[in-house]
Amino acid sequence: MGEGLMKLVNYTVMFTDDPNKLHGDLVPYTHDKEGVDYIAFTNSPHVKSDFWDVRLIDDMEKDGRYTARKYKTLPHKILPDYDFHIWTDNQVYYTVDPKSLIDGYLGDDYDVAAHKHIDRECMYQEVEACLNRPPAAGPPRQDPQLLIKQGEDYRKDGYPEMNGLYETGFLLRRNCEKVRKFNEQWWDESINRTTEDQVSFVYLLWKNKEIRMNGIEYTLCAHESALGRKKSPYVATMDKFWRSVG
């Protein structure tokens, strides 16, 4: 990493369609922040933390899921005054100094870093998996035809099969012009197609070949990998749960 102070933020969201019912919780960190900012955006007044800077907002998109995608994809607009953004889903945590994650996974060589998908290596497999979620996972997130068309359009554009896939619940990004361009495109795909952002993420990496992408070989997920990926020694997930707070 080059000389100079690193302005780094770890941010997450907890948006919900019912502010009195929350999915998951904020990671209960207690370590010294050492100059790193930890910011959580939410539309629920029940989200509290002694560690995170919790920011209550009311500029919702279509629903909680779309709003979460807006904040996930557009850190350069939401939090413009940082050199690097670490996105974590609210159940994702790490066990090391976040500055070391930036140094180790981005350094001077990469613009974006994410873990390779635990079970799949193809965007078209991801489309099928999203279309065939078990009933226990809840109702479809959008009209399935929107996702089918998204995959078909990407295929017509020439996007190849078996071109890799990433878990976007943990994402490191350099705040530079080419990444800001990528972010804008990612939000455009999310709001105008579907919120299945792992599908659009790899397509846009393919379209933006100037992005220097680091695919982390470990997995952060709890279940055993169909591809035999080893568990990350640095990043993992807590168990999600619904909690009523009203």
Side-chain angles (χ1 to χ4, degrees), residues 201-218:
F201 184 77
V202 288
Y203 169 74
L204 292 173
L205 285 176
W206 176 71
K207 296 289 284 186
N208 293 274
K209 293 180 174 58
E210 68 275 15
I211 297 288
R212 301 173 300 167
M213 178 67 195
N214 184 12
I216 303 168
E217 295 291 343
Y218 293 115

Side-chain angles (χ1 to χ4, degrees), residues 102-142:
I102 296 294
D103 286 336
Y105 287 138
L106 293 184
D108 294 322
D109 299 321
Y110 297 102
D111 304 307
V112 179
H115 292 82
K116 292 183 178 180
H117 198 281
I118 186 170
D119 295 323
R120 294 182 283 281
E121 296 182 291
C122 180
M123 181 271 287
Y124 299 109
Q125 294 174 352
E126 179 75 355
V127 169
E128 290 301 314
C130 293
L131 290 171
N132 293 287
R133 284 193 177 94
R141 293 166 174 172
Q142 293 103 30

Side-chain angles (χ1 to χ4, degrees), residues 170-223:
F170 173 81
L171 192 60
L172 309 178
R173 276 171 286 183
R174 187 184 305 275
N175 189 3
C176 61
E177 181 58 36
K178 56 187 171 181
V179 174
R180 291 191 287 269
K181 173 187 172 186
F182 173 89
N183 291 341
E184 297 279 356
Q185 293 173 353
W186 200 17
W187 168 237
D188 188 64
E189 291 294 293
S190 297
I191 191 66
N192 291 312
R193 289 186 180 274
T194 74
T195 59
E196 300 296 351
D197 61 72
Q198 294 182 163
V199 170
S200 53
F201 184 77
V202 288
Y203 169 74
L204 292 173
L205 285 176
W206 176 71
K207 296 289 284 186
N208 293 274
K209 293 180 174 58
E210 68 275 15
I211 297 288
R212 301 173 300 167
M213 178 67 195
N214 184 12
I216 303 168
E217 295 291 343
Y218 293 115
T219 178
L220 55 81
C221 299
H223 70 271

Side-chain angles (χ1 to χ4, degrees), residues 67-82:
T67 308
R69 289 297 176 270
K70 178 179 180 180
Y71 278 69
K72 180 176 184 176
T73 58
L74 297 175
H76 65 286
K77 286 194 169 181
I78 307 301
L79 296 165
D81 298 324
Y82 292 92

